[in-house]
Amino acid sequence: MASLLDVHPRNSVPKSSDDTEVELDVSHAQDAILPKLHSGPSRLAGDKNLMRVLNESALDAAEIASASSLDLPATLTSERMRRRSDISRIRPSFAVEPAGEAIELPVINERGKGASTAVEVQAVDPINGGITFREDTFGNVIVPGIAKGGDPEIAPSFPSSLAPSVFAADDASSTAPAISAAQKAVYRRKSLVHFLALCCCVFCMGWNDGTTGPMLPRIQANYHVNFAVVSLLFVFNTIGFISGAFANIYLTDRFGFGKVLVMGSLCQVVAYAMLSPAGPFSLMCAGFVLIGFGLSLQNAHCNGFVASLKRSSHTKMGFLHGSYGLGALISPLVATQFAESPTHWSFHYLISMGIYIANTCILWTVFRGRLQQDVMEEEGESGVNENAVVDSNKYKQVLGLKEVHILSVFSLIYVGLEVTMGGWSVTYILERRNGNSSAGYIASGFFGGLMLGRILLMWLNKKIGERLALFLYALLAIFVEVTVWVVPSLIENAIAVSFVGLLLGPMYPILMNHSTTILPRWLLTACMGYIAAVGLAGSAILPFLTGLLASKFGIASLQPFVVSMMSTLIVIWAVIPRARIVPT
């Protein structure tokens, strides 16, 4: 019992004017207890409550030291501090057995902040005087000296599994290590490098999609095929997209994020090598299958990675797809120059092959074939181990989510509209507005508007909400597209097409951002792959349907078809579930 009551003062406190009174009060208490303690166990048991009163009224020296090292709340008055300092100087010289007996502290309620539950003291260190809390049942974690207005008499709350000591400074360093400024700078630098590599990859996707529009008239003239036949390129592209969507789940589980990205880029290199000699039309169709397969893999992982980020995910998604618009803006400018040549038009695909070789090198250098979880942890993000899902049948999980199918239908129509506008608008201007070979620049105007819309309209998305913003963009896009339909002016049509691209631009990033709020995070990459692949399939299906309609009713059927598809987007967006908290 001596070890329980023996208190070693750590700080010398000058005596105040009332020291004598305090010492006399405590001395009287000792005089009343000491004879009973030395008289035997029976007397000790009879006055156990008196001992508990003395113990509860005095603070241990370890508590005084630890409390002095922290910020004491303003409510602790000078009178309380003086009295506790006086009591801490008392050193009882009597011994009480047995040592190390657990003492249950009373419940202390604080007005205005609710009641705290009792804290049981597990053991007392006779040397340091340190008290260790065994368990607490507080609702929130409160560190002494940090919570403003707190009372040091109220025990701090910690998770029961940690069992920390009362010395918060020691436990804070072991349970929640602070990230240094230098480490944060490393995280930011690595995050920027990873994001720029993904933007480069998406830029190449935009380069590919922006190429098709200006090259379609030249392909028709070179192979002497009509609209329906040349539209087969989009059909074979669809086969590649769908194949890549289903292969992506297996390839990701087997090889991981980094390797699958490189695989997709290598497929593009091989495909452009097949297209560059301007071989038979069947060879060109096979090349478009490989292009679709590679794009599907890359699109799934780029969107899945950015959507999984905890920091600035929505902003990065806008810039990611803005880089797609940049690639689709530049590509028609180059492709138009080659399309004007009847003999060297296919050399444009050599440039595309060189770009994808550079893209492959960048992806391997930055990600080095690692898993997505490892890459995210390198930049300070908490990655989700998708291989740790209990049910390994991800195909069944993904296809069993009705939200995935609704999002996929929206993606199909949107991406199909995007490619249809960028591809067939050139042919529409050539035939209906009597344009010349320079009409290929209209595709650049459309994709340029697409890029600007994804970046410049992010502030409006945040201000009015992404769900409402998409309804607004769709209605305005329909209005502008109607002017292209009814106004027979080449200049007006070219400007209107650019504004349609500006309004359509933010829709795809909004769709991807919204999918993170309604889909399970551990299936996010697989779901993103499926949604993106179906969308890329739409980039083949809708242009193919446009070609069929043009072969039967003329290219004038393009505008009513586009307007009807935009109206369908509004209906589907209204059906898509609202954002909700999903399991992570």
Side-chain angles (χ1 to χ4, degrees):
M1 194 67 172
S3 61
L4 285 172
L5 298 178
D6 188 14
V7 181
H8 300 275
R10 296 185 181 180
N11 301 319
S12 67
V13 181
K15 292 187 177 181
S16 61
S17 60
D18 297 330
D19 287 347
T20 306
E21 297 178 5
V22 176
E23 290 180 354
L24 287 175
D25 292 341
V26 178
S27 176
H28 291 161
Q30 292 182 13
D31 294 339
I33 295 173
L34 283 173
K36 298 178 181 181
L37 292 177
H38 292 290
S39 62
S42 61
R43 299 291 299 273
L44 176 64
D47 292 294
K48 188 175 182 180
N49 291 334
L50 184 60
M51 282 298 305
R52 291 182 60 184
V53 171
L54 179 60
N55 283 331
E56 292 169 3
S57 64
L59 283 180
D60 188 66
E63 295 179 357
I64 297 296
S66 62
S68 65
S69 63
L70 300 172
D71 297 331
L72 295 178
T75 57
L76 187 62
T77 62
S78 59
E79 180 63 19
R80 292 173 63 187
M81 295 177 63
R82 184 188 63 79
R83 183 170 179 80
R84 295 185 179 202
S85 300
D86 294 336
I87 296 174
S88 66
R89 288 195 296 270
I90 301 173
R91 290 176 53 88
S93 57
F94 51 87
V96 181
E97 296 295 331
E101 180 181 0
I103 304 174
E104 182 178 356
L105 298 182
V107 177
I108 303 176
N109 294 335
E110 184 182 15
R111 293 183 179 179
K113 295 186 179 181
S116 60
T117 56
V119 179
E120 182 177 354
V121 178
Q122 185 179 20
V124 178
D125 186 353
I127 299 176
N128 299 323
I131 300 177
T132 302
F133 297 119
R134 187 183 72 183
E135 186 175 3
D136 70 89
T137 56
F138 288 81
N140 298 318
V141 176
I142 303 173
V143 180
I146 295 178
K148 295 183 179 180
D151 194 324
E153 281 189 317
I154 298 179
S157 174
F158 300 91
S160 59
S161 61
L162 295 178
S165 68
V166 75
F167 298 101
D170 297 336
D171 288 1
S173 59
S174 61
T175 59
I179 302 177
S180 64
Q183 186 63 39
K184 289 182 180 179
V186 172
Y187 285 157
R188 286 195 298 267
R189 185 175 66 253
K190 289 184 178 296
S191 177
L192 179 61
V193 171
H194 297 161
F195 180 66
L196 290 178
L198 295 177
C199 286
C200 178
C201 186
V202 176
F203 171 87
C204 294
M205 298 181 201
W207 175 278
N208 174 83
D209 290 347
T211 297
T212 307
M215 299 299 289
L216 270 180
R218 177 53 58 191
I219 293 173
Q220 282 184 272
N222 184 75
Y223 292 103
H224 307 288
V225 294
N226 58 19
F227 290 129
V229 176
V230 77
S231 297
L232 289 175
L233 294 177
F234 298 111
V235 174
F236 284 100
N237 218 0
T238 302
I239 295 174
F241 293 145
I242 299 297
S243 301
F246 287 98
N248 174 62
I249 299 176
Y250 169 78
L251 293 175
T252 302
D253 289 341
R254 183 168 179 81
F255 300 105
F257 166 79
K259 292 185 177 67
V260 175
L261 267 180
V262 173
M263 288 180 190
S265 186
L266 287 175
C267 289
Q268 301 290 109
V269 174
V270 175
Y272 289 129
M274 297 168 62
L275 298 180
S276 58
F281 188 73
S282 58
L283 182 63
M284 180 163 284
C285 291
F288 270 76
V289 172
L290 206 53
I291 286 176
F293 187 86
L295 286 178
S296 181
L297 299 180
Q298 295 172 86
N299 200 356
H301 285 282
C302 290
N303 284 292
F305 185 90
V306 175
S308 300
L309 298 176
K310 303 292 191 304
R311 300 189 298 267
S312 305
S313 175
H314 288 200
T315 302
K316 288 184 177 181
M317 187 68 76
F319 279 100
L320 181 74
H321 291 283
S323 62
Y324 172 91
L326 179 62
L329 167 67
I330 298 175
S331 177
L333 301 177
V334 179
T336 300
Q337 302 299 321
F338 284 92
E340 294 176 353
S341 173
T343 56
H344 300 94
W345 61 272
S346 63
F347 287 3
H348 172 73
Y349 295 111
L350 291 175
I351 298 178
S352 300
M353 183 176 67
I355 291 175
Y356 263 97
I357 290 175
N359 179 59
T360 305
C361 296
I362 291 173
L363 292 177
W364 182 257
T365 302
V366 173
F367 299 113
R368 299 192 298 276
R370 292 173 296 171
L371 299 175
Q372 177 174 317
Q373 181 184 8
D374 298 335
V375 176
M376 293 182 70
E377 289 175 354
E378 187 182 40
E379 61 180 67
E381 292 276 356
S382 56
V384 178
N385 187 2
E386 298 181 349
N387 295 326
V389 181
V390 176
D391 187 0
S392 60
N393 191 353
K394 290 185 179 180
Y395 292 97
K396 181 179 179 181
Q397 289 181 320
V398 172
L399 297 178
L401 295 171
K402 69 175 184 179
E403 294 87 354
V404 170
H405 300 292
I406 300 175
L407 294 169
S408 299
V409 173
F410 186 96
S411 178
L412 183 145
I413 296 177
Y414 171 81
V415 178
L417 270 177
E418 189 178 87
V419 178
T420 298
M421 289 289 297
W424 287 106
S425 291
V426 176
T427 306
Y428 179 84
I429 296 297
L430 285 173
E431 295 197 4
R432 300 294 297 181
R433 302 295 181 248
N434 299 320
N436 52 28
S437 59
S438 298
Y441 296 119
I442 291 179
S444 290
F446 173 78
F447 287 113
L450 201 76
M451 174 192 68
L452 293 177
R454 290 173 175 177
I455 297 175
L456 299 182
L457 294 179
M458 282 192 293
W459 69 273
L460 184 59
N461 301 340
K462 296 179 181 178
K463 188 175 183 64
I464 67 175
E466 291 185 338
R467 186 176 182 85
L468 179 60
L470 195 142
F471 283 119
L472 177 63
Y473 297 148
L475 291 173
L476 292 176
I478 291 174
F479 173 77
V480 176
E481 187 64 27
V482 169
T483 65
V484 180
W485 184 1
V486 300
V487 178
S489 171
L490 175 62
I491 297 177
E492 191 279 337
N493 289 175
I495 296 174
V497 167
S498 299
F499 273 97
V500 171
L502 181 73
L503 295 169
L504 290 179
M507 292 186 182
Y508 197 75
I510 289 175
L511 175 71
M512 290 299 170
N513 290 331
H514 187 72
S515 65
T516 64
T517 65
I518 62 177
L519 297 176
R521 191 165 292 274
W522 66 84
L523 289 174
L524 196 57
T525 300
C527 292
M528 286 285 188
Y530 182 79
I531 294 170
V534 174
L536 292 173
S539 70
I541 294 174
L542 265 65
F544 174 70
L545 294 177
T546 303
L548 292 179
L549 292 173
S551 63
K552 186 174 183 178
F553 303 105
I555 195 62
S557 61
L558 172 67
Q559 301 309 325
F561 179 70
V562 168
V563 171
S564 64
M565 290 297 101
M566 289 180 180
S567 303
T568 307
L569 283 180
I570 297 178
V571 175
I572 298 175
W573 186 247
V575 175
I576 292 176
R578 293 179 178 271
R580 60 173 181 264
I581 299 176
V582 297
T584 57

